[in-house]
Amino acid sequence: MATSDGFSAPKRFSSALVVDDHPLFCDALVMTLQAVSPIKTVATAPCLADALHRLASEPAPDLVVLDLNLPDVDGFDGLLRLRKSTRAKVLVVSSMADSRTINAALQAGAAGFVPKHSQRDLFRRALQTLAAGQTFVPEGHMPTAEADASTQDAVARLASLTAQQARILDLICEGKLNKQIAYELSIAETTVKAHITAIMRKLGVHSRTQAVLIAKEASFEEHLRSSG
C-alpha cells in the first residue's frame, strides 16, 4: 500500500502508541506516522503511567514512539520500563539528540532514534529501517565512545531489572521506606525486601545508597552534567 510520500511500509506496522506530553507535537507525530506509513490506529499517552496502563489493558501496538522527557520519568527509566512492558519496537523521538543520549537510548533498548524536529522524510526512513529489523540512527551519529562508559554501564545494569524492580528502585530514589513502597504497590513488605535484594544483586551493589547512585548515573541531569 503506497502512501502519499511514495513509501510502502510493511503491513505489520499498522498501529502505534505515541507517548509525549506536548499535545500539539503529539498530534503532529500522529499525522506524520499516518502520512508516511499504513499505520491507521494511533493511541496517545501524555505520560509513562498512562502508556503502561494502555499497554496492559489494550491491544498491543506494533510501534511505540517515545519522548524521553516525560513528567513522570527521570532519564532513561521510561524507556527501560516500556521495554519490559511491550514487544513492540520503540522509536525514541527527542529534542536531546547528542551522540551520548542516542547511545544510551540504544543501550536501554530503543530500536531507533529520531531528533524531535526532523523532517517527515526522516521518519519515513526510520520506519522503513525498523520494519526491516535494523536499528535506525540519524546521519552523523557517532558510535559509543569511552566517554560514555559510566552512563552506558548504568543503563545496562538498569536494563536487567524487571518492570516491578524498576518501579521499586524509582520509589527508593524518592526516599520511600519499605513499608511505604509495600503500601503504594499493594504488596507485602517481605516481597519488597526480596525485590530490593534482587535489585542490589543485579546492579552489583551492597546498599540502597549505591543503587540510587546507579539510577542517578542514568538520569538526564547527571548525563548532561558529565557531558558538559
Side-chain angles (χ1 to χ4, degrees), residues 114-129:
V114 175
K116 199 163 191 177
H117 299 293
S118 299
Q119 297 294 318
R120 180 173 288 183
D121 179 66
L122 194 66
F123 282 92
R124 183 175 67 244
R125 287 192 281 128
L127 290 181
Q128 184 178 26
T129 301

Side-chain angles (χ1 to χ4, degrees), residues 3-202:
T3 68
S4 58
D5 288 316
F7 171 62
S8 186
K11 292 182 179 179
R12 69 186 183 89
F13 279 155
S14 62
S15 61
L17 171 63
V18 175
V19 190
D20 194 292
D21 65 327
H22 294 89
L24 289 178
F25 188 77
C26 194
D27 289 345
L29 271 177
V30 171
M31 290 187 290
T32 296
L33 292 176
Q34 293 177 329
V36 303
S37 78
I39 292 175
K40 298 301 180 185
T41 303
V42 185
T44 61
C47 62
L48 179 66
D50 192 20
L52 293 175
H53 175 73
R54 284 184 173 277
L55 290 172
S57 61
E58 300 177 3
D62 300 320
L63 176 73
V64 175
V65 180
L66 173 70
D67 180 12
L68 291 174
N69 192 19
L70 297 172
D72 57 344
V73 165
D74 182 21
F76 301 96
D77 175 64
L79 175 55
L80 289 164
R81 290 173 64 188
L82 272 177
R83 292 298 299 121
K84 301 292 183 181
S85 303
T86 181
R87 293 183 178 181
K89 291 182 179 295
V90 179
L91 176 64
V92 169
V93 178
S94 176
S95 58
M96 298 174 57
D98 60 282
S99 290
R100 299 185 74 247
T101 298
I102 296 173
N103 288 333
L106 297 178
Q107 181 70 42
F113 192 106
V114 175
K116 199 163 191 177
H117 299 293
S118 299
Q119 297 294 318
R120 180 173 288 183
D121 179 66
L122 194 66
F123 282 92
R124 183 175 67 244
R125 287 192 281 128
L127 290 181
Q128 184 178 26
T129 301
L130 266 59
Q134 300 173 342
T135 299
F136 182 84
V137 293
E139 294 181 6
H141 168 65
M142 299 297 293
T144 303
E146 291 183 3
D148 297 328
S150 60
T151 299
Q152 294 290 321
D153 179 64
V155 171
R157 294 193 204 185
L158 292 171
S160 71
L161 302 181
T162 66
Q164 183 79 313
Q165 289 166 354
R167 178 61 181 138
I168 289 173
L169 180 57
D170 280 345
L171 295 173
I172 291 174
C173 291
E174 292 175 10
K176 298 289 181 66
L177 302 175
N178 287 358
K179 61 181 180 181
Q180 293 173 311
I181 295 173
Y183 176 79
E184 184 156 337
L185 299 182
S186 299
I187 58 178
E189 190 171 347
T190 54
T191 302
V192 173
K193 292 179 180 178
H195 277 306
I196 292 175
T197 298
I199 289 168
M200 290 193 292
R201 183 179 66 251
K202 288 183 176 181

